Amino acid sequence: MGDSSILFKKITYPINQALSDYLERYDRVSKVPISYDDLLRFSGGISVYDKNGQDTLWIRVYYNEFESAEIDLTLKKIYSLLLSDGNLGILKFLNVDSIDYCTFGNSKPFRIKVRNILNDNYTHFYIKKADASRVYGLELEHLLSPDKINFLVYKDTLIEEHIMGIPGDVFIKTLLSDCTETEKAQIAKEFVKFNERCMIRLLGDMRSYNYVVVPTHDFDQVVYKIRAIDFDQQCYEGNFKIYRPQFFKENYSLVKLVKDKLQDSSIDQYKDEERSALAKRIHSAENKIKRLLQIMSDDNIAPKENQMQLQMELYRYTNDMNFKNAKSMGYIMKAAFEFIIRNFKNVNY
């Protein structure tokens, strides 16, 4: 499987003025004041267990009576901004059922559960400390993946919608073996495409618990898609293998599925299909991506030694001098997109 270990905790980088202006320009800035630090002032909490009685490492927190009402109202307003264009008329139908705090990982998010009291439907969203590379990752996911994603930023606080699906590690452990042979072949195809997409857009650390498997029923079959849910490692690590899900031991079952179910010619075909699709998405969102990459190129979102290691590994992988001459992680990202467009779509970028 190769060595794809992440040795050190990721550094958090602030959102600079240029990125803040970009977010404002494209309606990514929350009109409701919200602070991650305010949510940290909880009075206490209890451990959250799953249906099998296992500790999830999330804590259900509560606040004193003086802060609780204000926090609830703010979270309902955030929900309306994120999911219904800020319509405050729905607030009277909403209830904040729970606020959970994650005790592990880089971002230590709060998970908010909001329920519609009229029909008992509920939705989750997350509140985290804003980190520039995570914001770049979310925006690139929105622009370049087959799926759109909602998120908002308020100063140093990030609000993300919940991405629905079966956590990859849970799917591999409990459901993969029950899939039909046809479904397994389709999952193998999707993993090849997911692997290629992460590699090209330099989204790292896609171990099985950082993506979800999304089943969709279509006539007489179930079609599976794979979606990233964690964007902490956008353009950060220096080891190129970190950006290739195939090298994580947690994904071994899916890698084996690819080897068992797909011929080399099919794997190459699916890689080309994904690269062509990415080239078309880059072209269709050309102005936004140019603006984002320019901001990214001037930003500092990774240690210099990581950048230098990655650019040389990519140069050896592609023989493209643009990687060797890159001056920042943003320039490496720009070189990757230019490489894809030159090789997979006849467009000028």
Side-chain angles (χ1 to χ4, degrees):
M1 296 297 288
D3 177 17
S4 55
S5 58
I6 296 174
L7 299 178
F8 302 106
K9 181 176 170 65
K10 183 186 176 299
I11 300 167
T12 298
Y13 291 90
I15 293 173
N16 66 18
Q17 189 58 51
L19 180 54
S20 182
D21 291 344
Y22 173 95
L23 296 170
E24 183 83 49
R25 167 72 176 80
Y26 294 108
D27 297 322
R28 293 293 198 186
V29 174
S30 172
K31 300 176 181 66
V32 177
I34 181 74
S35 169
Y36 175 89
D37 288 341
D38 286 344
L39 293 182
L40 284 174
R41 298 203 302 265
F42 48 84
S43 302
I46 57 172
S47 296
V48 177
Y49 296 90
D50 65 18
K51 61 183 180 182
N52 297 316
Q54 298 296 311
D55 191 343
T56 63
L57 303 181
W58 288 80
I59 298 171
R60 185 146 299 161
V61 300
Y62 53 87
Y63 300 84
N64 67 51
E65 59 181 311
F66 304 106
E67 292 189 309
S68 183
E70 182 180 353
I71 287 172
D72 272 26
L73 179 59
T74 300
L75 294 176
K76 290 176 189 177
K77 288 179 179 178
I78 290 293
Y79 170 94
S80 71
L81 263 184
L82 193 65
L83 297 163
S84 66
D85 296 325
N87 175 17
L88 299 183
I90 68 170
L91 296 190
K92 58 182 175 290
F93 304 122
L94 302 178
N95 187 70
V96 178
D97 275 12
S98 61
I99 303 173
D100 296 338
Y101 176 62
C102 183
T103 56
F104 65 95
N106 274 318
S107 56
K108 289 188 168 53
F110 286 91
R111 180 177 61 200
I112 317 301
K113 180 180 178 181
V114 178
R115 179 171 53 89
N116 185 316
I117 61 176
L118 295 179
N119 53 32
D120 268 352
N121 286 335
Y122 62 86
T123 304
H124 291 97
F125 62 91
Y126 300 87
I127 295 177
K128 307 175 179 181
K129 271 284 189 185
D131 171 56
S133 57
R134 189 179 300 125
V135 170
Y136 287 122
L138 285 163
E139 185 68 3
L140 287 169
E141 177 76 3
H142 180 74
L143 295 172
L144 297 178
S145 84
D147 306 285
K148 300 305 177 188
I149 191 165
N150 287 326
F151 70 94
L152 294 168
V153 173
Y154 183 80
K155 295 183 179 178
D156 64 348
T157 297
L158 173 65
I159 305 128
E160 290 180 29
E161 73 170 345
H162 173 67
I163 297 173
M164 290 186 289
I166 304 164
D169 55 338
V170 174
F171 181 85
I172 290 169
K173 184 178 180 180
T174 64
L175 297 172
L176 182 59
S177 61
D178 293 331
C179 291
T180 66
E181 297 308 306
T182 301
E183 288 170 347
K184 288 177 180 176
Q186 195 265 323
I187 292 166
K189 169 186 173 181
E190 181 62 20
F191 185 74
V192 169
K193 292 194 166 193
F194 178 69
N195 187 78
E196 199 70 9
R197 190 159 65 244
C198 293
M199 179 186 72
I200 292 166
R201 54 159 291 197
L202 298 179
L203 177 62
D205 195 20
M206 281 300 111
R207 286 174 278 193
S208 55
Y209 47 78
N210 286 332
Y211 58 80
V212 291
V213 178
V214 185
T216 303
H217 292 264
D218 180 34
F219 293 107
D220 59 347
Q221 65 174 338
V222 179
V223 178
Y224 295 89
K225 297 293 182 184
I226 300 176
R227 289 191 67 181
I229 59 171
D230 190 311
F231 303 92
D232 287 355
Q233 293 285 344
Q234 176 68 52
C235 296
Y236 180 77
E237 293 288 341
N239 183 351
F240 182 38
K241 288 182 178 178
I242 297 295
Y243 304 101
R244 305 173 73 184
Q246 71 190 76
F247 287 110
F248 287 104
K249 65 180 185 296
E250 292 86 353
N251 297 329
Y252 175 73
S253 296
L254 298 187
V255 174
K256 186 175 185 302
L257 213 57
V258 171
K259 290 179 179 177
D260 292 346
K261 294 295 180 183
L262 303 179
Q263 296 181 358
D264 289 347
S265 58
S266 295
I267 293 172
D268 291 340
Q269 175 197 336
Y270 297 143
K271 287 181 178 180
D272 286 351
E273 285 179 8
E274 190 60 30
R275 292 183 179 202
S276 178
L278 271 170
K280 290 173 184 174
R281 291 183 196 123
I282 291 167
H283 185 56
S284 65
E286 182 176 4
N287 290 334
K288 287 182 78 171
I289 288 179
K290 274 187 175 179
R291 186 182 300 219
L292 186 67
L293 290 183
Q294 188 56 55
I295 295 167
M296 211 172 166
S297 297
D298 296 334
D299 204 352
N300 175 33
I301 54 173
K304 190 68 176 177
E305 58 270 24
N306 289 15
Q307 174 221 313
M308 294 173 68
Q309 179 188 355
L310 182 61
Q311 68 185 96
M312 291 310 298
E313 290 192 17
L314 282 167
Y315 169 66
R316 287 192 289 270
Y317 185 73
T318 63
N319 291 318
D320 186 336
M321 285 297 294
N322 287 333
F323 289 113
K324 193 172 185 179
N325 296 330
K327 300 172 184 176
S328 68
M329 281 294 192
Y331 277 106
I332 294 175
M333 191 81 268
K334 187 183 293 186
F337 288 175
E338 289 173 348
F339 180 84
I340 289 301
I341 285 181
R342 275 199 314 275
N343 288 280
F344 289 89
K345 196 169 188 292
N346 294 321
V347 294
N348 294 317
Y349 183 67

